[in-house]
Amino acid sequence: MASPLSQLSPPNIALLDVTGKGMYPSTLLTVKLLWLTSLVFQLLEKMQVPFLPLFRPMDALMPWSVELSAVLQIVYFCAGIALLFNYRPRLCCTLLAGCIVVLLLANRTTYRNHIFVIACAYLLAACHKPQEPPWLLVWQLSLVYLAAGLNKAWEPDWLSGQFMHNWLSGYVNWYDVGTQLLPELVFGQCLAIGTILFEVTLGLMLLKPKLRPLAIWLAAGFHFGLYIAVKGTTFGYFLHDAMILLLAFIPWPNQPLRLDLPAKVSGCQWLLRWLDTSRQLEIVTNQPTFCLSCEGHFHFTGLAALRSLLLRLPVLPLALLVLMIGLQRYAPDSLAYVVTNTTFLICWLGALPDEARPMRKRTQPAQTATTSAA
Amino acid sequence: MHKLCNTSALLGVGFLLLQVVAFFYAKLGPSRYFCWAPYDMHTRYAISVAIGDEALEPEAINARYGIPAHGFNPRSYAEVIDLVAQYETTYGEADAATVRIDYSVNGNPMQSWHHR
């Protein structure tokens, strides 16, 4: 019996429509998810300015603190809503970045790396031409890991193992087991130096197109591994930010994707049309194999096609992100939270090996495709 | 190089270079703003404040500085000290408060900072 949904036309949900909107699709998806994440983690409530500003002259604005705070909140919220509805995404990203930079400079108590990285993502997303792959975001992520690693290398307590020992001793069981196998602080030292080398290597790998797919795997594994190893630590919401930022690496040509469905699954095309919120799929039924192709870009069959397809259905990462954040806020110790994170990671990582081609080469033909003005 | 042939791309690269400058600037002191130094230092601190003969409750200290009276900073001890010092030399100067911050960095021996 046919599903009632198959008789209906799927709605056009602007939030989940990321192609042909004046910004590279994966970049647009990334900034939308980052805005939603910031909202869920109450960034708006933190926008009370000025208060103990890093940029001291901002104290002169204290008499208008209430009004300025309201303006900041309104601009951030409205620009985000406009971004969700694909209205002038580059301008919205510029405004969003400006709001966060003003906040961080005007209120030093709000400074967090997981908030600053969102501002960086917004600003750099806006710096790309429409439909240009986010090469600046690649450089930004590389800079984050390089700087994080090199900063730690400057700290004597990191190099001696004191930092790790102080953090993890008595906090996680596996560390205490490790310290029984090695002299005191040596285990912590190994972890610390390993972390430094890993972050620096990761930063360098991201700059090399051929090594970038592996770097993405390693980055995802690193953050998720930290989450598992350190009792669900998300470092504010840097874990969420990092996972979302890695979505920007998906090569996503802004042109139709041909999806060939075999006869036995052709009945599912209504579901795919509902999930294809960007209206990018050209579904052809009763084909010999399951195949996803984009002329001049890629041609996947079988499981690779399925994984590649899932990556380009924005509803999937959005749904998993909502579930992940919701579970973290309301059931942080639940097994379901771990399962959801694992599912998010697997679904997203599962497609990446098939995208293992330098973004520059994969998307050069897309630059000739029809684009929409920002 | 063709990527850099537009103003917005140059702005983006300039923004990245600013972060590189911030990285090196952070090496001149203990503060760690805008330089990607998460978890460089773990600082556990306790702030005690007295205005005249009255010692402030933790809730009042939290309201005063915008940070907990007893807390943890994952970037740098200097952030806590600089924040309190800025408050006491600006908004709170008239209070003539006596402030003490006891802090330990990465489990090392406790240190103290005093204002007045």
Side-chain angles (χ1 to χ4, degrees):
Chain A
M1 185 172 69
S3 164
L5 286 176
S6 66
Q7 310 303 316
L8 300 172
S9 297
N12 187 14
I13 305 174
L15 163 64
L16 300 174
D17 184 1
V18 296
T19 55
K21 301 302 177 187
M23 187 175 278
Y24 196 73
S26 57
T27 308
L28 185 55
L29 177 64
T30 297
V31 293
K32 286 186 179 186
L33 293 180
L34 285 175
W35 185 78
L36 289 172
T37 303
S38 71
L39 219 62
V40 168
F41 286 101
Q42 301 174 317
L43 183 59
L44 275 181
E45 285 84 344
K46 291 183 171 66
M47 290 184 174
Q48 304 299 324
V49 296
F51 179 71
L52 299 177
L54 283 169
F55 186 58
R56 298 286 187 108
M58 283 179 160
D59 263 333
L61 302 172
M62 185 61 81
W64 303 280
S65 172
V66 173
E67 293 82 0
L68 283 170
S69 301
V71 166
L72 209 61
Q73 291 169 328
I74 290 170
V75 171
Y76 190 80
F77 184 78
C78 292
I81 293 294
L83 178 67
L84 289 186
F85 284 94
N86 304 317
Y87 179 72
R88 301 177 70 92
R90 293 176 70 193
L91 173 62
C92 291
C93 284
T94 305
L95 290 173
L96 292 172
C99 287
I100 295 182
V101 170
V102 166
L103 170 64
L104 296 180
L105 290 177
N107 186 336
R108 66 163 68 213
T109 65
T110 64
Y111 181 82
R112 301 287 186 279
N113 285 299
H114 60 258
I115 296 176
F116 182 47
V117 77
I118 294 178
C120 295
Y122 288 148
L123 186 61
L124 295 175
C127 289
H128 293 92
K129 288 188 285 190
Q131 307 313 324
E132 184 179 25
W135 56 275
L136 284 168
L137 284 179
V138 177
W139 287 13
Q140 174 67 75
L141 210 55
S142 172
L143 176 61
V144 170
Y145 287 116
L146 276 172
L150 293 174
N151 273 316
K152 293 178 178 69
W154 229 279
E155 296 294 329
D157 281 345
W158 264 86
L159 297 176
S160 68
Q162 173 65 26
F163 177 92
M164 283 292 185
H165 191 76
N166 176 61
W167 181 24
L168 301 175
S169 178
Y171 183 51
V172 290
N173 293 334
W174 60 266
Y175 183 85
D176 295 330
V177 170
T179 55
Q180 292 171 7
L181 302 174
L182 292 170
E184 188 174 306
L185 288 188
V186 172
F187 186 52
Q189 192 175 35
C190 292
L191 284 177
I193 293 175
T195 300
I196 292 170
L197 291 174
F198 182 85
E199 287 184 328
V200 172
T201 303
L202 198 58
L204 294 172
M205 286 174 68
L206 283 168
L207 294 175
K208 187 82 176 164
K210 287 185 179 177
L211 296 177
R212 197 167 295 146
L214 177 59
I216 294 169
W217 274 85
L218 291 175
F222 175 63
H223 289 291
F224 196 64
L226 278 176
Y227 166 74
I228 295 292
V230 195
K231 288 189 171 182
T233 300
T234 58
F235 303 95
Y237 45 95
F238 200 90
L239 169 67
H240 309 81
D241 290 347
M243 292 298 192
I244 295 169
L245 276 168
L246 292 175
L247 290 173
F249 288 75
I250 301 171
W252 198 322
N254 185 30
Q255 58 192 72
L257 305 180
R258 176 180 162 127
L259 179 66
D260 291 348
L261 292 181
K264 56 185 176 181
V265 295
S266 291
C268 296
Q269 63 169 308
W270 66 268
L271 177 61
L272 290 169
R273 293 198 189 284
W274 274 79
L275 294 176
D276 177 30
T277 52
S278 291
R279 303 290 184 268
Q280 202 175 13
L281 293 180
E282 290 179 346
I283 300 174
V284 182
T285 55
N286 300 316
Q287 296 298 299
T289 56
F290 184 83
C291 171
L292 182 72
S293 61
C294 182
E295 188 175 343
H297 292 273
F298 56 76
H299 181 97
F300 299 128
T301 58
L303 195 56
L306 177 61
R307 295 197 302 248
S308 186
L309 173 65
L310 288 175
L311 267 188
R312 293 178 180 83
L313 297 174
V315 65
L316 180 65
L318 175 65
L320 286 172
L321 184 69
V322 168
L323 199 55
M324 182 169 74
I325 294 175
L327 285 171
Q328 185 203 10
R329 286 174 64 81
Y330 300 108
D333 299 323
S334 70
L335 178 63
Y337 180 38
V338 177
V339 170
T340 309
N341 279 276
T342 307
T343 307
F344 185 92
L345 186 67
I346 292 173
C347 287
W348 167 72
L349 278 181
L352 279 176
D354 300 310
E355 313 296 342
R357 290 168 183 80
M359 287 181 70
R360 175 174 46 83
K361 286 184 184 176
R362 291 181 61 78
T363 56
Q364 269 178 353
Q367 293 170 0
T368 61
T370 304
T371 60
S372 302
Chain B
M1 284 306 294
H2 69 280
K3 292 179 189 175
L4 298 177
C5 295
N6 69 85
T7 307
S8 55
L10 287 173
L11 283 174
V13 172
F15 181 67
L16 291 172
L17 288 174
L18 270 180
Q19 294 174 55
V20 175
V21 170
F23 169 83
F24 287 105
Y25 181 79
K27 299 292 155 276
L28 301 177
S31 290
R32 293 289 182 265
Y33 292 109
F34 304 110
C35 64
W36 303 115
Y39 274 56
D40 263 25
M41 308 174 206
H42 280 173
T43 302
R44 299 212 173 270
Y45 66 87
I47 305 173
S48 50
V49 181
I51 299 178
D53 295 328
E54 180 189 357
L56 297 187
E57 296 293 324
E59 295 78 17
I61 294 174
N62 190 352
R64 187 177 180 85
Y65 301 125
I67 59 173
H70 303 88
F72 167 79
N73 184 291
R75 287 172 300 280
S76 170
Y77 68 91
E79 291 186 10
V80 181
I81 292 174
D82 290 346
L83 184 153
V84 172
Q86 184 175 349
Y87 187 96
E88 297 302 335
T89 55
T90 54
Y91 312 148
E93 191 174 13
D95 296 337
T98 303
V99 183
R100 173 182 169 138
I101 302 177
D102 296 312
Y103 64 96
S104 167
V105 181
N106 299 329
N108 288 314
M110 199 71 77
Q111 302 176 68
S112 291
W113 176 87
H114 298 264
H115 175 75
R116 294 187 195 278

